[in-house]
């Protein structure tokens, strides 16, 4: 009987011990998750202000990690403090939903039709049919402008396709882990994604619907219908990011090739240049659903572009620029030929102000079957203009109408067929150069530059400004991977593939190419100076430094210092601020970073008031500590098993023993260092109480002294009075220590295990924040990081968060490190408000390493 | 595990019964002492293999499965401590696999290890009882710590179950 009772009692006590173990595990895991949340949060704040390039993948990874860790906080809170845990779970659910919405983006077309005919389209359908097709439909419907017949395949096709078989997830998986700096990796990713898309079948019946639309159009147009199948992405054509020439266009497509052509347009979103462009512009794959325009082919005698303003002359110029090539216009857009160039008056419409001959060696024409072919250009006897004045007048008349209707300068694509009919194929806003780049061509400046040897003085300015750098000749796409940062890109043709390295180029020079082609548009977008049609450029010596003055159409040997102020860093010229990805990151940061629950003693410090993940983390941390130590809300009395440590450091330390951490006959209530049996805690206390380590104010002895410090520091302007109200907590066992202290706004955790078995030993130290401004805080964090790193810790610092750890060290080394951490905590405590200059960091590190733990600071005696 | 714990919540033990609680398991020490059985589930063979080699080094007993169905089959036959699970797989997806594993072996801890950064699927996985959600590429040290932590939790839950 007695035995049974004893066994039952033993069972009960074992169970209670286990329950404590479980609780303690939750507590420890909560602290860990909390540390992770703070670290990722610091990283997100960093990314917001740092102009460093980041992709949607980076945002996704950080948000996911953040919510995973925050979920764990809530999970452990439910075990430690169920009532508060439930409230936190509700708050978390609300934040999670908002974050998911932010990350998911648009999903507008799921019920929309797959096909829209041209006469059903106007600007209102931009979200469905893309900018290009919406513009065409609008011109036809509202302006009565001659636009070829056709139909649009809506964004729904792309979205349905990406929903098939987790395609979007698989694509995101690849782009998320992609190293965009590695050209080969980008190409590999591009291939992988393209093959995945190609292997994904179109959703049910969509193929039949596309072919039916083709059949209807053939009936309407009559004869042998051939199509131009073109990309029409949503957002494409925005003057800030034009997407010029990134995507594929299939020409002369018949019924049997139509589906293939659609796929080719769809996968062109994943060409290396498109992948890079999305990233540079902070766009996600999902932001750019691809729509497809299917337009009846115009067999053009002559085709080209029209800019309603002269882009090299700036806004408000009273003239338009028309560029023309024989045959199909693709050779012009691709920069393979130099077009004829007409500068024409707006009034009277189309009067030629200036004509420059082109240099066209090939003509692109439809082949009898399908596809198109290049033919040699037939010799033209006289170099006479291929456009007549009446044709130019028609073009200008259309252009004026379009410009008025769309409200702003336009970049228009046109074609004139064999019967002399004028067709408009596209219009999009024209990016006019930033006036900053358009300095007046002062004779003084040119005179100054005359001192330098001129390599060339010719060509057309495709994008104004000046750039200085080494010549980097690119002969093939393969050579792009070696393109150097800040190089002057020199190429024979203005190939669209060159856009992939524009962000690295200080200037661009091509022997052939039109100033209205894709590369020119992109160069203006990236604000990279660009000179085209410069004969002999390919013979520049690779590697030699040159100065390209695109505005003056001159290239100098060497560095022209007078032009340096006109060169600009490309990164600044193309910030990610305001892009969709930045907007999403900012939205996430708003859900995460702000801290509203700052004062645990305030009435509003409640779970239901947590507005951000930071609030959740702060509240959970405070509450978990209180519950673990079973302290009353007023913070005065502790339960019997919680001990208050009285030692000559002005910290309010509560100790809980998790097993042989205190000597056997320790009193309940107040204890002294003599009662500590925990090996790591002994070492930490030794460090904290080392001679010369100055905590704020007088070092008090006993409670009386403690109170005197309190009195002293109340008058201190540096907010230290707040610190003293906070508590520090130590959970100890014989070989283990978890010490967390929150001093006003700063917060540190020391976690250590020290025994004779070196492989199990570790010391890990986390530090965050401070009462001073963010620069001082960061400097203090750097000071701490530097000391720990010098002492052999593995250290990771993000803004004002430092995480450091060292593992597998023998017992004596571990104790030595803990001792040092104690000294460092004392030394670091006083420095953040004094960190007025970055040079002080070195100084403090030096003093600390030399054993001067007051860091040479005047005493803070008040 | 948490639901069970919260139901069983008790006030902190008084000092009398608090004399000799089992000491918290030390960090890596415990990891080596433990006989850890791990199952890696991932549809990419090279990844499975290299991770298996990596985890065999500290002496883990490692098994692999290429998809959810085979993973569930293996779990039916053997009591793994930890299952490392991919999210996107042909056939049963990660969360479905998790649910089946937990039904068979409630004490087995599941860590998602995936290249898929989806906030929704991550939180869903945790809600359905996953121990952790780790994004590839994960550092070997970090992964070991998380496996260790999962093992300790499993052990504790086991003891709690026995003491009940």
């Amino acid at each position: 009987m007695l035995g049974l009772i004893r066994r039952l009692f033993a069972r009960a006590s074992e169970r209670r011990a286990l329950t404590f173990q479980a609780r303690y595990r939750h507590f420890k895991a909560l602290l860990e998750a909390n540390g992770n949340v703070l670290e990722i949060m610091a990283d997100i704040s960093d990314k917001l202000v740092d102009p460093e390039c980041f992709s949607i993948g980076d945002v996704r990874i950080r948000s996911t990690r953040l919510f995973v860790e925050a979920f764990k906080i809530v999970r452990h809170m439910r075990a430690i403090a169920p009532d508060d845990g439930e409230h936190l779970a509700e708050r978390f659910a609300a934040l999670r939903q908002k974050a998911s919405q932010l990350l998911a983006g648009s999903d507008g077309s799921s019920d929309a039709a797959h096909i829209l005919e041209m006469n059903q389209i106007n600007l209102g359908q931009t979200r469905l049919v893309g900018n290009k097709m919406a513009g065409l439909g609008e011109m036809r419907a509202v302006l009565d402008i001659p636009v070829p017949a056709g139909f649009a395949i809506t964004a729904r096709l792309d979205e349905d396709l990406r929903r098939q078989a987790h395609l979007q997830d698989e694509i995101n998986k690849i782009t998320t882990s992609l190293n965009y700096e590695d050209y080969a990796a980008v190409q590999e990713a591009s291939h992988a994604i393209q093959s995945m898309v190609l292997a994904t079948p179109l959703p049910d019946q969509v193929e039949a619907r596309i072919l039916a639309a083709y059949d209807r159009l053939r009936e309407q147009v009559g004869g042998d219908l051939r199509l131009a199948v073109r990309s029409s992405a949503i957002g494409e054509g925005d003057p800030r990011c034009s997407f010029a020439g990134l995507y594929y266009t299939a020409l002369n497509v018949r019924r049997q090739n139509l589906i293939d052509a659609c796929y080719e347009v769809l996968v062109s979103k994943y060409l290396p240049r498109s992948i890079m462009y999305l990233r540079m512009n902070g766009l996600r794959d999902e932001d750019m659903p691809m729509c497809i325009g299917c337009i009846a082919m115009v067999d053009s005698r002559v085709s080209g572009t029209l800019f309603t303003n002269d882009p090299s002359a700036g806004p408000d110029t009273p003239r338009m620029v028309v560029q023309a090539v024989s045959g199909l216009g693709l050779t012009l857009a691709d920069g393979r030929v130099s077009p004829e160039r007409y500068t024409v008056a707006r009034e009277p419409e189309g009067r030629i102000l200036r004509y420059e001959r082109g240099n066209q060696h090939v003509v692109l024409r439809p082949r009898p079957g399908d596809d198109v072919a290049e033919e040699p250009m037939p010799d033209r006897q006289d170099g006479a203009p291929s456009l007549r004045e009446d044709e130019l007048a028609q073009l200008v008349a259309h252009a004026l109408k379009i410009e008025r209707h769309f409200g702003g300068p336009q970049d228009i694509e046109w074609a004139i067929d064999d019967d002399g009919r004028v067709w408009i194929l596209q219009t999009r806003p024209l990016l006019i150069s930033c006036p900053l780049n358009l300095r007046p061509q002062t004779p003084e400046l040119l005179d100054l530059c005359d001192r330098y040897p001129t390599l060339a003085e010719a060509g057309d300015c495709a994008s104004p400004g000046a750039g200085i750098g080494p010549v980097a000749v690119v002969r093939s796409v393969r050579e792009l991977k070696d393109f150097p940062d800040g190089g002057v890109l020199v190429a024979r043709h203005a190939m669209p593939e060159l856009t992939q390295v524009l962000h690295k180029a200080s200037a661009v020079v091509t022997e052939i190419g039109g100033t209205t082609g894709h590369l020119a548009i992109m160069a203006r977008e990236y604000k990279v100076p660009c000179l085209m049609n410069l004969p002999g450029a390919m013979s520049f010596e690779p590697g030699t430094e040159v100065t390209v003055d695109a505005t003056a159409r001159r290239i100098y040997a060497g560095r022209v210092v007078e032009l340096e102020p006109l060169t600009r860093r490309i990164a600044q010229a193309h910030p990610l601020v305001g892009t969709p990805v930045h907007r999403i990151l900012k939205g996430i940061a708003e859900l995460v970073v702000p801290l509203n629950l700052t004062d645990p003693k305030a009435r509003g410090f409640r779970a239901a008031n947590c507005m951000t993940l930071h609030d959740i983390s702060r509240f959970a941390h405070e509450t978990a500590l209180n519950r673990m130590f079973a302290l009353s809300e007023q913070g005065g009395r502790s339960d019997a098993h919680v001990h208050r440590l009285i030692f000559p450091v002005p910290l309010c330390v509560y100790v809980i023993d998790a097993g042989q951490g205190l000597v056997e006959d320790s009193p309940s209530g107040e204890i002294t260092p003599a009662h500590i049996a925990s090996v790591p805690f002994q070492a930490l206390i030794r460090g904290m109480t080392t001679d010369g380590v100055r905590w704020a104010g007088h070092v008090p002895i006993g409670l009386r002294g403690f109170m005197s410090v309190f009195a002293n520091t109340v008058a201190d302007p540096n907010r230290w009075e707040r610190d003293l109200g906070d508590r520090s907590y130590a959970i100890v066992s014989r070989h283990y220590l978890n010490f967390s202290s929150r001093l006003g706004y700063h917060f540190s955790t020391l976690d250590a295990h020290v025994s004779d078995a070196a492989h199990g030993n570790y010391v890990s130290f986390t530090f965050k924040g401070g009462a001073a401004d963010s620069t001082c805080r960061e400097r203090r964090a750097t000071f701490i990081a530097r000391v720990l790193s010098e002492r052999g810790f593995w250290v990771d610092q993000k803004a004002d968060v430092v995480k450091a750890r060292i593992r597998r060290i023998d017992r004596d080394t571990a104790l030595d490190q803990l001792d040092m951490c104690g000294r460092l905590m004392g030394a670091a405590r006083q420095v953040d408000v004094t960190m007025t200059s970055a040079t002080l960091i070195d100084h403090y590190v030096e003093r600390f390493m030399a054993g001067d733990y007051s860091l040479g600071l005047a005493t803070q005696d008040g | 595990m948490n639901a069970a714990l919260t139901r069983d919540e008790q006030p902190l033990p008084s000092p009398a019964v608090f004399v000799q609680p089992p000491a918290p398991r030390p960090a890596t020490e415990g990891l080596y002492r433990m006989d850890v059985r791990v199952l890696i589930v991932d549809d990419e063979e090279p990844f499975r293999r290299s991770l298996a080699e990596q985890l065999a080094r500290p002496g883990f007993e490692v098994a692999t499965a290429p998809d959810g169905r085979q993973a569930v089959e293996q779990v039916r036959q053997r009591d793994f401590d930890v299952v490392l699970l991919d999210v996107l797989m042909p056939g049963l997806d990660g969360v479905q696999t998790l649910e089946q594993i937990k039904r068979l072996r409630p004490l087995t801890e599941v860590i998602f290890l995936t290249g898929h950064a989806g906030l929704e699927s991550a939180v869903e996985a945790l809600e359905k009882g996953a121990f952790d959600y780790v994004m590839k590429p994960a550092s070997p040290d970090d992964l070991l710590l998380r496996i260790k932590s999962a093992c300790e939790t499993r052990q504790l839950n086991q003891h709690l179950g026995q003491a009940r």
Side-chain angles (χ1 to χ4, degrees):
Chain A
M1 188 64 189
L2 205 64
L4 180 65
I5 290 172
R6 200 177 289 140
R7 274 207 305 282
L8 279 177
F9 186 76
R11 281 274 289 280
S13 85
E14 187 195 345
R15 231 171 84 183
R16 252 174 291 194
L18 277 168
T19 312
F20 173 75
Q21 278 290 296
R23 225 175 135 81
Y24 170 70
R25 269 206 71 77
H26 281 297
F27 177 65
K28 207 178 156 207
L30 185 145
L31 291 185
E32 205 177 290
N34 190 50
N36 291 337
V37 164
L38 295 178
E39 185 193 351
I40 307 164
M41 238 161 43
D43 191 33
I44 285 185
S45 317
D46 251 17
K47 285 278 173 300
L48 265 182
V49 289
D50 197 345
E52 176 195 352
C53 219
F54 52 84
S55 68
I56 184 63
D58 299 327
V59 181
R60 264 196 216 106
I61 289 177
R62 281 175 180 81
S63 316
T64 305
R65 284 187 53 210
L66 196 54
F67 276 82
V68 164
E69 297 302 324
F71 182 92
K72 290 192 212 159
I73 291 183
V74 175
R75 168 189 276 178
H76 299 304
M77 271 298 278
R78 284 173 124 156
I80 296 169
D83 41 345
D84 285 330
E86 288 313 311
H87 283 298
L88 286 188
E90 280 166 31
R91 301 309 306 149
F92 175 86
L95 291 168
R96 163 208 181 169
Q97 197 200 350
K98 283 184 193 158
S100 293
Q101 277 168 1
L102 275 171
L103 289 164
S106 78
D107 198 12
S109 67
S110 54
D111 294 324
H114 282 103
I115 308 276
L116 281 182
E117 315 265 342
M118 188 69 89
N119 58 19
Q120 299 174 285
I121 300 172
N122 56 43
L123 278 185
Q125 272 92 43
T126 308
R127 295 293 303 169
L128 270 181
V129 301
N131 294 53
K132 196 180 285 178
M133 287 305 285
L136 277 179
E138 178 85 2
M139 284 189 284
R140 180 187 167 116
V142 183
L143 300 179
D144 202 22
I145 281 188
V147 166
F151 58 91
I153 303 174
T154 65
R156 187 171 167 197
L157 172 76
D158 186 22
E159 285 169 359
D160 281 358
L161 191 70
R162 280 184 282 138
R163 261 196 284 272
Q164 301 266 88
H166 293 300
L167 181 61
Q168 184 74 64
D169 289 333
E170 294 287 353
I171 291 171
N172 291 349
K173 196 164 138 184
I174 292 178
T175 50
T176 296
S177 58
L178 180 59
N179 173 12
Y180 288 86
E181 302 305 318
D182 180 350
Y183 185 82
V186 171
Q187 276 203 312
E188 202 178 296
S190 161
H191 284 154
I193 298 175
Q194 287 188 54
S195 13
M196 281 185 332
V197 176
L198 291 174
T200 308
L202 288 182
D204 276 350
Q205 303 195 338
V206 173
E207 187 172 326
R209 280 182 207 161
I210 294 172
L211 293 175
Y214 174 93
D215 294 337
R216 277 198 302 278
L217 187 61
R218 183 166 54 188
E219 251 169 57
Q220 179 195 331
V221 178
D224 171 28
L225 173 66
R226 291 154 300 118
L227 298 175
V229 180
R230 313 184 65 180
S231 72
S232 178
I234 295 162
E236 177 180 320
D238 180 324
R240 265 197 53 165
C241 35
S242 64
F243 286 79
L246 285 183
Y247 299 145
Y248 184 75
T249 294
L251 293 175
N252 209 30
V253 176
R254 287 186 163 78
R255 192 179 196 273
Q256 65 267 31
N257 297 323
L258 180 54
I259 301 299
D260 283 352
C262 290
Y263 266 105
E264 284 194 78
V265 171
L266 286 174
V267 298
S268 66
K269 212 166 100 178
Y270 306 106
L271 291 170
R273 61 182 187 237
S274 317
I275 293 177
M276 289 305 288
Y277 191 77
L278 281 189
R279 182 190 181 235
M280 293 300 296
N281 284 287
L283 292 162
R284 304 170 307 165
D285 190 16
E286 298 95 311
D287 290 327
M288 299 296 304
M290 180 72 88
C291 319
I292 301 171
C294 299
I295 307 159
M297 279 288 287
V298 175
D299 290 332
S300 35
R301 169 179 63 94
V302 52
S303 54
T305 59
L306 183 154
F307 284 7
T308 60
N309 285 68
D310 186 347
S312 59
D316 307 323
T317 50
R319 49 186 201 259
M320 298 190 179
V321 177
V322 176
Q323 304 204 46
V325 295
S326 293
L328 299 173
L330 203 61
T331 49
L332 169 56
D334 284 356
R336 264 177 296 169
V337 302
S338 296
E340 298 174 16
R341 186 183 156 99
Y342 305 78
T343 307
V344 296
R346 297 166 75 96
E347 182 62 57
E349 289 171 3
R351 187 169 58 85
I352 300 177
L353 302 173
R354 185 168 160 202
Y355 168 69
E356 292 148 272
R357 291 174 61 162
N359 175 16
Q360 186 173 3
H361 48 288
V362 289
V363 193
L364 199 66
R365 293 203 190 281
R367 293 199 316 180
D370 49 47
D371 212 347
V372 290
E374 278 184 7
E375 297 165 8
M377 178 77 181
D379 278 338
R380 265 229 303 277
Q381 50 287 59
D382 48 1
S386 47
L387 286 175
R388 301 189 308 264
E389 285 234 7
D390 65 298
E391 289 170 331
L392 282 165
Q394 278 187 63
L395 282 174
V396 171
H398 291 320
L400 286 169
K401 249 167 127 178
I402 294 168
E403 189 188 47
R404 250 197 319 275
H405 183 72
F406 286 88
Q410 296 289 306
D411 167 357
I412 297 167
E413 259 179 48
W414 54 266
I416 300 178
D417 65 20
D418 288 331
D419 302 329
R421 271 178 304 196
V422 172
W423 298 96
I424 301 299
L425 305 179
Q426 175 180 347
T427 188
R428 59 183 169 201
L430 172 68
L431 181 68
I432 293 291
S433 309
C434 164
L436 239 172
N437 267 345
L438 288 173
R439 67 177 195 281
Q441 287 284 352
T442 59
E444 293 80 12
L445 186 62
L446 282 176
D447 281 351
L448 281 172
C449 297
D450 274 343
R451 298 190 285 119
Y452 298 88
T454 308
L455 289 177
E457 184 164 10
D460 300 324
C461 172
S463 172
I468 302 173
V471 169
V473 176
V474 174
R475 285 170 211 282
S476 73
V477 176
R478 232 175 307 122
E479 290 173 17
L480 287 175
K481 69 176 192 306
D482 303 319
F483 188 82
D485 270 329
V488 170
L489 173 57
V490 177
R492 174 138 174 85
H493 301 288
M495 303 175 289
E497 287 84 358
L498 300 179
T499 54
Q500 286 170 62
V501 294
L502 273 183
H503 62 287
K504 292 162 115 183
S506 60
V508 178
V509 182
T510 69
E511 289 192 343
I512 291 173
T515 55
T516 59
H518 293 149
L519 184 67
I521 293 172
M522 288 287 187
R524 288 193 287 278
E525 213 172 297
Y526 283 89
K527 300 191 173 65
V528 181
C530 178
L531 208 47
M532 288 181 171
N533 291 324
L534 185 78
M538 293 293 280
S539 60
F540 293 156
E541 186 63 36
T544 56
E545 188 170 62
V546 297
T547 300
V548 177
D549 183 349
T551 317
R553 304 190 300 137
R554 275 192 193 179
I555 298 180
Y556 304 94
R559 173 174 291 265
V560 177
V561 288
E562 286 79 0
L563 290 176
E564 268 179 356
L566 299 167
T567 65
R568 294 208 284 171
R569 279 209 40 82
I570 301 129
Q572 290 168 342
H574 204 76
L576 284 168
V577 176
T579 64
V581 171
H582 189 265
R583 271 201 301 277
I584 293 168
L585 185 70
K586 216 172 132 196
I588 296 281
E590 277 161 16
L591 300 177
V592 170
V593 178
L595 180 62
N596 307 301
L597 303 191
T598 48
D599 185 1
K601 292 169 202 80
R603 222 199 256 156
F605 197 85
R606 287 172 25 213
N609 289 344
C610 288
M611 305 311 291
T612 63
L613 289 191
H614 201 166
D615 287 337
I616 291 182
S617 130
R618 176 73 179 90
F619 177 83
H621 184 258
E622 186 73 27
T623 310
L625 280 169
N626 279 331
R627 294 294 172 99
M628 276 308 283
F629 290 83
L631 293 166
S632 66
E633 287 297 287
Q634 283 71 35
R637 288 293 308 150
S638 60
D639 280 355
H641 63 280
V642 179
H643 311 267
R644 166 80 194 277
L645 178 66
I646 303 299
F647 71 139
V649 165
L651 292 181
C652 188
V653 179
Y654 289 91
V655 183
I656 191 167
D657 183 9
Q660 298 161 18
L662 300 181
V663 295
E664 289 238 354
D665 52 349
S666 291
S668 56
E670 295 188 347
I671 56 169
T672 68
H675 297 110
I676 305 291
S678 167
V679 178
F681 196 27
Q682 283 171 343
L684 181 71
I685 292 174
R686 199 155 54 236
M688 291 169 102
T689 53
T690 302
D691 271 354
V693 174
R694 293 199 59 86
W695 295 80
H698 283 299
V699 175
I701 314 288
L703 199 58
R704 200 167 284 275
F706 182 83
M707 290 313 291
S708 78
V709 170
F710 191 81
N712 270 344
T713 45
V714 167
D716 194 303
N718 298 329
R719 296 165 104 169
W720 280 335
E721 76 276 15
R722 283 190 54 88
D723 301 359
L724 291 162
D726 286 296
R727 300 177 214 109
S728 299
Y729 303 91
I731 298 170
V732 295
S733 70
R734 177 97 185 132
H735 299 294
Y736 176 75
L737 164 69
N738 182 286
F739 184 83
S740 50
S741 68
R742 186 180 278 287
L743 300 163
Y745 294 100
H746 106 231
F747 160 58
S748 74
T749 309
L750 190 69
D751 196 69
H753 180 267
V754 183
S755 72
D756 290 333
H759 65 258
N761 289 346
Y762 68 88
V763 177
S764 127
F765 185 69
T766 311
F767 179 91
K768 162 151 178 53
D773 71 80
S774 67
T775 316
C776 290
R777 282 208 310 266
E778 213 168 308
R779 284 181 190 142
R780 170 160 74 172
T782 308
F783 161 66
I784 290 169
R786 288 268 307 279
V787 169
L788 290 169
S789 163
E790 296 229 359
R791 289 294 308 247
F793 277 72
W794 172 90
V795 180
D796 184 25
Q797 183 191 355
K798 293 209 172 71
D800 65 345
V801 176
V802 180
K803 280 186 111 177
R805 65 166 196 260
I806 188 163
R807 304 197 298 152
R808 292 171 201 199
I809 43 177
D810 64 40
R811 178 195 158 97
D812 290 346
T813 314
L815 295 181
D816 199 35
Q817 296 286 20
L818 280 163
D819 187 312
M820 184 273 300
C821 286
R823 283 174 272 145
L824 181 60
M825 284 163 106
R829 179 153 187 241
Q830 55 190 328
V831 297
D832 72 329
V833 287
T834 68
M835 281 281 190
T836 46
S837 141
T839 56
L840 280 174
I841 298 172
D842 284 340
H843 174 69
Y844 287 163
V845 172
E846 208 172 282
R847 297 306 288 255
F848 184 87
M849 296 308 281
D852 173 8
Y853 306 121
S854 70
L855 307 179
L857 290 167
T859 52
Q860 306 276 348
D861 287 348
Chain B
M1 60 163 271
N2 299 303
L5 274 179
T6 21
R7 269 202 308 278
D8 208 37
E9 203 68 52
Q10 293 203 353
L12 277 176
S14 69
V17 292
F18 194 46
V19 184
Q20 272 190 314
R25 245 173 203 287
T28 35
E29 202 172 41
L31 193 67
Y32 289 98
R33 277 203 211 124
M34 262 184 243
D35 192 12
V36 182
R37 288 151 300 174
V38 182
L39 174 65
I40 301 169
V41 191
D42 197 301
D43 58 339
E44 283 167 39
E45 201 272 331
F47 177 79
R48 274 201 314 272
R49 199 178 42 212
S50 75
L51 184 61
E53 281 166 17
Q54 227 176 73
L55 294 182
R57 232 167 282 145
F60 291 2
E61 209 182 302
V62 186
T64 62
D67 62 40
R69 208 166 296 284
Q70 294 183 49
V72 172
E73 205 38 57
Q74 292 208 43
V75 167
R76 203 189 302 278
Q77 283 160 19
R78 285 173 67 199
D79 189 14
F80 290 98
D81 295 296
V82 177
V83 178
L84 297 174
L85 198 55
D86 195 3
V87 176
L88 298 171
M89 292 180 298
L92 280 187
D93 70 20
V95 173
Q96 292 167 326
T97 310
L98 164 79
E99 287 175 315
Q100 298 206 13
I101 290 175
K102 280 287 182 188
R103 218 172 293 140
L104 287 169
R105 308 260 186 200
L107 285 173
T108 295
E109 293 294 356
V110 174
I111 297 176
F112 276 85
L113 177 60
T114 176
H116 175 69
L119 195 156
E120 273 305 310
S121 70
V123 177
E124 193 197 343
L126 292 169
E127 278 173 344
K128 297 248 161 86
F131 180 80
D132 208 339
Y133 190 99
V134 185
M135 238 110 42
K136 289 180 196 169
S139 85
D141 272 8
D142 186 49
L143 195 58
L144 278 181
L145 281 174
R146 288 172 196 256
I147 293 174
K148 183 208 77 176
S149 187
C151 285
E152 288 171 355
T153 301
R154 172 186 152 94
Q155 225 164 32
L156 192 61
N157 287 336
Q158 235 162 5
H159 289 150
L160 278 171
Q162 284 160 7
R164 201 154 288 141

